[in-house]
Amino acid sequence: MRVLVATAVLVERDAVAAAFAPSAALEYAIPGATLSRVAPVESGPLVFDLLAAGVGPAAAAAATAAAFTAAALNEQTDEQTDDRTSGPYDLVVSAGIGGGFQPEAPVGSLVLADEITAADLGAETADGFVPVTELGFGAVTHRPPESLVRAVAAVTGARTGAVLTVNTVTGSAERAAELRRRHPRALAEAMEGFGVAEAATAHGVPVLELRAVSNPVGPRDRAAWRIGDALAALTGAFGKLAPALESWNPHDR
Ligand SMILES: O=C(O)c1cccc(C(=O)CC[C@H]2O[C@@H](n3cnc4c(=O)[nH]cnc43)[C@H](O)[C@@H]2O)c1
């Protein structure tokens, strides 16, 4: 099984890599980015390609789409093992730190999206915010496969709920309350999931979003960030993922 993991920045990518064997990862250049290939010990054909895709949904979508296209153009099979060493991905995971809505998603906890929603893709009107779907365009939500969300939540202990993708980090109690009013199931916000999911949908690849909560969603308070704790939680989660992915049937969405 080939899994692409798209983080925003290098420290998140390295936190994911830390879950795997200490040997140096193989590196592959793709247009605009580099993939690091790692594999869990004794994982059989489970391989993760790690990508630091950039901050925000546009960068995330562009880099993820480049990785999908590069993989599709470069399908190869190891002649000795008959394993696919490249070619289309079976799954993409948008992963990193994020803001947690309080009190449901405390700092240091994990949130796994059962819904990836673009929270600010739409228009302001006299009656308030209107999502693009109500204007007759595109999509604002992507849903990861339910059976996989259940399996991954069970092995990682992640809470499941909506993860919002925002272009602007929430910085006030008023904005946090407004987001929760519009999205009562929201547990976390981050800036890349919807971009990764748009690329995944275009390429027919299932998507997950896993966030380790580094800060509360609300008034801006840099001193309250716990980025180290969140990165450690991300490493711990990826260390537990293999059994859930290996037992998942991609046809069972
Ligand atoms: O300047 C601030 O007050 C501030 C507060 C929290 C996060 C930031 C970032 O620039 C981080 C962006 C980066 O990390 C993810 N992230 C982490 N926490 C949040 C959040 O509360 N809301 C949205 N995104 C968050 C995000 O996915 C980016 O990759 C700045």
Side-chain angles (χ1 to χ4, degrees):
M1 180 182 204
R2 284 171 40 71
V3 181
L4 178 66
V5 180
T7 67
V9 294
L10 287 172
V11 287
E12 293 169 320
R13 184 202 68 182
D14 292 346
V16 174
F20 304 109
S23 59
L26 294 172
E27 303 225 315
Y28 300 85
I30 61 168
T34 301
L35 295 173
S36 303
R37 180 161 300 170
V38 294
V41 176
E42 294 173 8
S43 69
L46 181 59
V47 168
F48 293 83
D49 281 350
L50 313 183
L51 170 69
V55 173
T64 302
F68 286 155
T69 302
L73 291 174
N74 189 32
E75 184 159 0
Q76 288 170 1
T77 299
D78 183 312
E79 285 178 10
Q80 289 185 329
T81 62
D82 209 29
D83 285 343
R84 206 154 45 83
T85 56
S86 58
Y89 290 102
D90 301 295
L91 175 70
V92 58
V93 185
S94 172
I97 63 171
F101 287 95
Q102 303 303 307
E104 292 86 353
V107 171
S109 69
L110 293 165
V111 174
L112 180 65
D114 60 13
E115 172 191 323
I116 300 168
T117 292
D120 50 18
L121 186 60
E124 286 293 343
T125 74
D127 298 322
F129 177 81
V130 177
V132 285
T133 44
E134 290 181 27
L135 302 171
F137 308 119
V140 290
T141 292
H142 294 284
R143 293 185 199 284
E146 281 179 29
S147 59
L148 185 58
V149 169
R150 276 196 302 275
V152 170
V155 296
T156 59
R159 293 159 167 82
T160 58
V163 176
L164 306 182
T165 300
V166 295
N167 282 279
T168 304
V169 174
T170 296
S172 68
E174 292 73 22
R175 177 65 177 162
E178 167 67 6
L179 287 172
R180 279 298 289 267
R181 188 187 61 71
R182 286 187 5 229
H183 305 283
R185 300 185 62 261
L187 291 183
E189 71 166 36
M191 303 177 80
E192 294 80 25
F194 185 75
V196 172
E198 284 278 286
T201 301
H203 286 258
V205 178
V207 61
L208 290 179
E209 181 172 7
L210 180 62
R211 292 286 165 183
V213 176
S214 55
N215 56 279
V217 176
R220 186 165 186 269
D221 177 9
R222 292 187 78 107
W225 293 6
R226 295 289 178 267
I227 291 177
D229 292 349
L231 294 174
L234 201 59
T235 303
F238 272 86
K240 296 172 187 160
L241 269 191
L245 299 186
E246 283 173 330
S247 62
W248 179 58
N249 176 359
H251 302 293
D252 181 16
R253 296 196 178 181

